[in-house]
Structure formats: C-alpha cells, structure tokens
Amino acid sequence: MTGGATVAGVVVLAALAVVAAAGRDWGTEEEDRGNGTAGRGEVTYDGRALILDGARRMLFSGDMHYPRSTPQIWPGLIAKAKKGGLDVIQTYVFWNAHEPVQGQYNFEGRYDLVKFIREIHSQGLYVSLRIGPFIESEWKYGGLPFWLRDIPNITFRSDNEPFKRHMQKFVTKIVNLMKDERLFYPQGGPIIISQIENEYKLVEAAFHSKGPPYVQWAAAMAVNLQTGVPWMMCKQDDAPHPIINTCNGLICGETFLGPNSPNKPALWTENWTSRYPVYGQDQRYRSAADLAFAVALFIARKKGSFVNYYMYHGGTNFGRFASSYVTTSYYDGAPLDEYGLIWQPTWAHLRELHAAVKQSAEPLLWGEYSNHSFGPQQEGHVFATESECVAFLVNFDKHRVSTIQFGEEVFQLAPKSISILSQCRELVFQTGQINAQHGLRTAQVVQSLNHVDRWKIFREPIPTIPGKISNVGNQLCEHLSTTKDETDYPWYLTAYNSRRNGNGQLVLIIEAHAHMLHAFINNNYVGSVHGSHDKPGNIILQAPISVREGRNFISLLCVMVGSPDSGAYMERRSFGVLRVSIKRRQQKPHSMNNEHWKHQVGLSGETNKIYTYEGSSRAEWTTIDKSMHLPLIWYKTTFDTPWGNDPVTLNLSSMRKGEVWINGESIGRYWVSFKTPSGQPSQSMYHIPRFFLKTGENLLVLMEEIGGDPLQITVNTMSVTRIYGSVSEFSTPSLLSRDNHPAVHLRCQKGKHITDVEFASYGNPVEDCRGSGRSCQGSCHAEMSEFIVKNACLGRRKCVVPVRAAKFGGDPCPGIPKSLSVVAICG
C-alpha cells in the first residue's frame, strides 16, 4: 500500500487512464435475465464474478425461506425485496420438511418449493438454491430427517456409505425436480447457483480421516449432476475445484481469506442482518450503518460481486421446527420483519447502497484495482477502467471524523464509515449517514379474550400407568430414540415404596440432559427446572417431596425445546433423564435408576389432537373454574378474524410456556416465562398468518406447561404507525430520487396514509427526535415548518420534502447548519 494523500491522488489520476484487462459484453437487464425461454448458456464464473450469458454480474441477494412464511405472502415479500435492490432470492431446501417419512415426500403448501421459485422468476429475480441437504439454519436437526438416525451403521456428514447413499438420493431428487420444471438458468429458469453441504469446515476435523474424503465426494457428486450452474460450499476454504468457497459471517470484508483460486469470485453467502434470537436472551439487532459498512468493505477489499443478506426476511418457525432454544420468531430485525413489514431504516439504507454500487458496476467488475493508505485507520480502494472509476474511502475510527485529500478533493469521512465516490470524484453514498426514514412498529389490540365463559380447559392427565408404553425395563430411556422427535414430551414413570421408619424431609433429585423437566409425585406437582442455550449441559432438579406410606407414583415429564441443529456426530446425541434418587436428611441417596421404569410418548391431548376441530369435539372440556396458573392445562376459545390486511398476532405475555394452535395449525412454541437479562420475555407476540384464519370464528388452543392466565391474551394487528425522518442540508441526495437536493422521504405501509404530522422543524432540531413535541426544537426553527410539511404530506401515502431554505420561506438562522426533522403518523 502507498502512503500519504498526495501520492494517493497521483495514483488515482493515473488509474483513470488504465484500460480494463477484460472487455465488456453487457446486455440489457431484460436480455440478461431472459423472458423465461430456454436456450441460454450455462452460468460460469471467473475471478471477478458470476457470468451470465457472457456478462459479469454484480448481485445482491437475500435469504427467504419458503417454510417460514406462507404462499399467500410470498409475492409481496419478493416484490419488496426487488424494490429494495435485490437481484437474487436465496433459500435452503428443507429435507426433513420434504421427506418427513422415508420415501414419502411433501411439496405442498408452505413446502411447495417449485411454486416459490416460479414466483421469484415471475418477478424477474434469480435464485440461489442451497440444497445442503444439511442446512443448520436454526432448524430442527439441521434439516436432516429424523428417520436417518435409525439407518443401520450411519454416521452423518462423513465418508460413510449409508449417509452418502441417502444424501445423494435426496440431492438428486431435488436437482431432477428443478430440471423437470426447467428452473435452472440454462433452461430458461432463475436458478443461477447452488450449494452443497453447509459450513462443514467447522466439524470436519472431528471426523478425522472420514472428513476430507466426504468433502471430495460431495463436490464430485454435485458437479456430476450437470445443472449448468456453479456449485458453492460456504465456510470451506479448501472447497475442491470447481466448487466456489464462500464466506459466512458479520464482517467478511475483514475475515474472509478469499477464494482459494484466482479464477473464483468472492461470494458472501451469509451476511447476518442480526443474530438469531433464543429464549432467555435479549434481541440483538444490527444497525443499518453497520450492515452497509460491512457490505461496502467486502466489495472494496475483497472485490466482492455477490452479497447475500441472511436473513432478508426471517419469518416464523411454525410448529416444532425451531432448533434447541430458538424462538418462534426468526430474524425479526431483518430488512423485512417477521410479518413482512419493511424494517426501517435498514431496508431503505441498503437500497441506497445497492443503487450506488450498481451505478459503478462496470469499473467494479472490469476495472483495475488499487488500494491506498491515508493513515492508520483510513484506506482507499479504487476500481478504474478507461472511462469509469469508483473509489471507496474507508474510515475505521469509530470515534473521529477523518479529513483526507483524495485526488483534487478533500473529503470528511464520518466515524466508522465508507464513502463511495462515483467517477472517483462525486460522493454518492456514505454508509454512516442514515437519510432513510425510521419506523415504529406497534401492536393494536383488536380483541381481548377476557370473557371467562368463552374459555374451556382440558386437564392433561398425569400418567402413572402409561396409555402408550414405548419401553418397559430397568432403565431410563433415551429421549429422542423414544419419541422419534414426534413430540417434545416423553413421560418417565416409576413407583417408590415408602415405609414410615424415619423422620426428616425427603428430597427428590433428578439429573437430566434436557431443556426442561417437570416432576410429579402422586399426581401432585413437585417442581420444574430448565436449562439455557448458553449452558447446554445437564439440568438438576432438587425438590422436597411428601409421600404416603406404601406405594407412591413418580411421574417425570422431560421436555425438549427443539432438537440440535449442528455439530459432529448428531446421530449420537442423547437426551433424557439420566439419574433419579431420593434422599432423607444426611443419609445416602436411594438410587431409582434401576427401578422398573415405564415410558409414555407425548401428551394425551397431543395423541388425541384436541387442538383440531375434530379432536376438540371428542375431548371432555370443562370451565376454567380455579384451574388458571396450574401446570399441564389445555385452554380453548374462539376469536374473530380481524378486519383489514394488517398482520395478526397473539399477545401471550400472560402465559408461561407451551405451544399454540390456530384452527389446528401450530404457530409455534412459546416460552414467555424465560426472561432475558433485561427482565423481558424473548418473545411475547406470536404471528398468526392470515391464511390460517377463517371468515368468522377461529379455534384457539394452547397447551400450557407451567401455568398462565389466558384471560389476559389479546388478538392484535401489527403495523408501522409512527414514521420519522431527519436529513441535513449537507446530506448526499438520494440516487433514487428525481430531486438533486437532500430531502426527507416519508412513506406509510400499503393501505395506510399520513394522518397527522406530530412534529416538523427546519433548523437545528434535536438530533434523534423520534418522539414529538416542542422539546425537539433547537435554537433555530423555521416557523413555517409544520405548515409546509403538512401541506406536502397529509392524506398521502408518501411524500418528499426538500431540505432547502427556499422551501421554508428563507434561512431562519444564517451561518448555522440546518436539517429537517419530521415525525408523522400513519393510519
């Protein structure tokens, strides 16, 4: 790297005269993407980018997972992604959703992969198909079907013939399905790249000599399927040729070692838009500025030409598909939130970044690259062809503005920010300058379910003699082998004979490798204990108990909150009750491990499917009476479908732990009682897709493990009701706006319009005024501010207000830097 601003300026001027090493063969966007007709060439690549019909492409992509939403909202999600500047939708393929029973396939409803890909294609976007078939993805068993565990002599994800045989069969089935539907790019379809395996390098060493041959086999198997598009392996720096090794992570511009061949492009398959939430932890959101900085740095430093956001829309982990301790809501802080609403300012800020990068696609993909140093924490990256140039000026200093000379201009680089210069002169985007509007999402109560007479309960019987015996013998059974992952709940049942020959309190001691455990003696609740995501070891319950003389029944309910999704030797993982003993005072504990144990799989209500209309009609429901706050209670009521199109949610903050069904469809597990360090539940609002609802009344059933208050449950609609924008008169104008001046852009979600302007000030208002009121005004304020903004915005879905003095009747305070801040209400 060269040092000093003067030297760097000379280099930049020289770079403008450099001729690109390769020629350019650009078609129009429509020509490149085709019109769904066959006859296009194979997708190839070189050291700069993926190549479609002879043209290198700069591609922005976003993960959306078809099982985590419903087909009814796929079109809207994809349309918002396209408007956000994406070119590609990326998705995993979920083996255990498609083949839940060996040889029986499901490609219906939420699992209609072909329909999902066709919808993407119809909107003019490409597809990155991550077949895996191991996917992790915070999805139960990492996407592997549980029946694989019962295949004799199998070892997952290794040079093991049984596993390879089943993996190849499924991958081949998916590839053939895509071929039959003509969905690969050379056939006229949208699939331009596929992935085999997933982050295997993280576990490869654990398989010793069985690891590397498996990588070679997986690569060869995939390539031999002859799809006409490249294959990739993420986090596999030794991916065999011609497989492309890609990066996953938060800061691939800093951590990625680069492609393992100069003839492979730099692809970022997972740029994490937040961190996936787990029960017991606070949500960890990622700022729009940090995301944009990471993307720009990857493109500049690594010559990146493909960036995928994981997730762009996270959606919902319906049913029991979430992995261990993972919440039902998935990546709610993505550019499109769990409900499909636009998450601002992230969505719009990234949209501006995509526009700035694509404006300079030619030098980025074809230009000669040079880098420059402006200080210990400042650097520049230049891409130049004979006619075009783009520069990325980077300031890593998190606290100070940096002033540098670049070429003939002086630039102020904001803290932890990257400035993009079109033609190496004109500032078109700053990652640290957020001009996009912010939005406040609110839940509006539309129905309170507080009528006690409308609720019914079913008491889950505490078994002492199991109705369905899966194992009887002198042993404690393994959880997953017993349940086959068809339920979270196996019962462990035995008896204890007590003789009145001693005094002192008895203590029941249970050790289990599980997520939660509930203990009952003679049908009476004794206590519970649970683990956590960060401490996945054994849990121990020590509870005082009272027993009667003679025979006492011990009933233990072992609970899993999702199965594991990663790691080596997953087929060997074991869970369940490990040790049970009873102790009196200081005496040696009496071990119950070798007693005559019986086991029951699942709850009675599950077995009889009382969460469905048919199953519910057969169950013996009673009035609530005094059953609230008791453990193992099923609750049932009905509610009306909310009017309109806003997303629907249940507020379960008054409940504790369990699962919830709407019209027989599980919308996921809830665990409200597991509080985060901040004292709040990790999730209290639970999404009900409108497709699950009926006209009129809907059946709501909850299985409450610990005890809650259903009378406090509310049905809500979710929307963005308050929007806020603040833009400086010195801000870089939007590339997507017709106006060449800085402006505040406000927009309500579809179906709503601006009903009120709570605050507007052109002057020097408080920097972050997302509330309202005169307290946000600074010492400088144009009196016409509110009038001008209301005139431009009231009654409209969207509006643009330029930030210039003439718009507000002149400069209210000459010599003072000014901005415009607006808080508006959407309704």
Side-chain angles (χ1 to χ4, degrees), residues 75-85 123 312 336 340-342 347:
L77 295 173
I78 295 163
K80 290 172 184 176
K82 182 178 181 179
K83 191 167 185 178
Q123 298 201 35
Y312 199 81
L336 301 179
L341 301 174
I342 290 175
W347 181 88

Side-chain angles (χ1 to χ4, degrees), residues 649-668:
T649 67
L650 275 182
N651 186 336
L652 299 181
S653 57
S654 64
M655 304 304 287
R656 300 188 70 185
K657 183 183 182 300
E659 190 173 350
V660 56
W661 291 262
I662 305 294
N663 296 324
E665 292 274 2
S666 172
I667 63 171

Side-chain angles (χ1 to χ4, degrees), residues 427-456:
L427 178 63
V428 293
F429 184 79
Q430 297 180 76
T431 63
Q433 183 184 84
I434 308 295
N435 293 328
Q437 77 174 34
H438 293 69
L440 177 63
R441 189 179 65 185
T442 57
Q444 180 178 354
V445 176
V446 294
Q447 190 173 350
S448 296
L449 306 182
N450 55 2
H451 296 290
V452 67
D453 56 333
R454 296 194 62 178
W455 283 97
K456 301 294 182 183

Side-chain angles (χ1 to χ4, degrees), residues 550-577:
R551 191 173 176 84
N552 295 267
F553 295 103
I554 299 177
S555 306
L556 308 179
L557 185 61
C558 192
V559 184
M560 293 285 287
V561 187
S563 55
D565 69 340
S566 59
Y569 303 106
M570 287 177 59
E571 73 285 349
R572 302 181 189 176
R573 302 282 184 87
S574 62
F575 298 88
V577 176

Side-chain angles (χ1 to χ4, degrees), residues 431-486:
T431 63
Q433 183 184 84
I434 308 295
N435 293 328
Q437 77 174 34
H438 293 69
L440 177 63
R441 189 179 65 185
T442 57
Q444 180 178 354
V445 176
V446 294
Q447 190 173 350
S448 296
L449 306 182
N450 55 2
H451 296 290
V452 67
D453 56 333
R454 296 194 62 178
W455 283 97
K456 301 294 182 183
I457 68 161
F458 173 80
R459 295 174 182 265
E460 177 67 29
I462 312 299
T464 54
I465 299 175
K468 180 180 179 183
I469 300 174
S470 63
N471 189 321
V472 178
N474 296 330
Q475 63 178 350
L476 294 161
C477 72
E478 196 279 323
H479 183 127
L480 293 177
S481 297
T482 303
T483 65
K484 305 299 182 185
D485 199 33
E486 294 179 356

Side-chain angles (χ1 to χ4, degrees), residues 582-653:
I582 293 178
K583 182 180 180 181
R584 187 190 300 272
R585 285 192 172 181
Q586 303 302 316
Q587 297 178 11
K588 182 179 179 180
H590 169 68
S591 174
M592 304 288 293
N593 297 346
N594 296 321
E595 298 296 328
H596 194 69
W597 286 94
K598 299 179 182 180
H599 307 94
Q600 176 177 303
V601 175
L603 304 177
S604 170
E606 284 182 299
T607 303
N608 295 309
K609 297 183 178 180
I610 67 172
Y611 47 81
T612 65
Y613 278 98
E614 183 180 356
S616 173
S617 66
R618 294 194 300 263
E620 296 183 4
W621 299 89
T622 62
T623 58
I624 283 185
D625 194 20
K626 298 179 180 179
S627 298
M628 286 193 300
H629 306 294
L630 295 179
L632 295 184
I633 300 292
W634 293 80
Y635 293 98
K636 179 183 78 165
T637 190
T638 58
F639 66 94
D640 296 327
T641 297
W643 178 86
N645 296 311
D646 289 342
V648 181
T649 67
L650 275 182
N651 186 336
L652 299 181
S653 57

Side-chain angles (χ1 to χ4, degrees), residues 50-68:
L50 296 178
I51 298 174
L52 282 65
D53 293 331
R56 292 172 178 164
R57 297 301 299 266
M58 175 67 67
L59 298 168
F60 290 103
S61 173
D63 256 280
M64 292 183 187
H65 297 162
Y66 51 101
R68 284 173 161 143

Side-chain angles (χ1 to χ4, degrees), residues 331-382:
Y331 276 84
D332 187 36
L336 301 179
D337 70 11
E338 178 185 4
Y339 314 102
L341 301 174
I342 290 175
W343 187 270
Q344 298 282 32
T346 301
W347 181 88
H349 192 55
L350 294 178
R351 181 178 182 232
E352 293 283 347
L353 169 63
H354 302 156
V357 170
K358 289 179 181 179
Q359 183 186 62
S360 296
E362 180 174 343
L364 285 169
L365 295 173
W366 300 92
E368 183 170 303
Y369 168 77
S370 59
N371 55 33
H372 318 282
S373 175
F374 304 106
Q377 297 188 79
Q378 293 76 34
E379 61 189 40
H381 303 268
V382 176

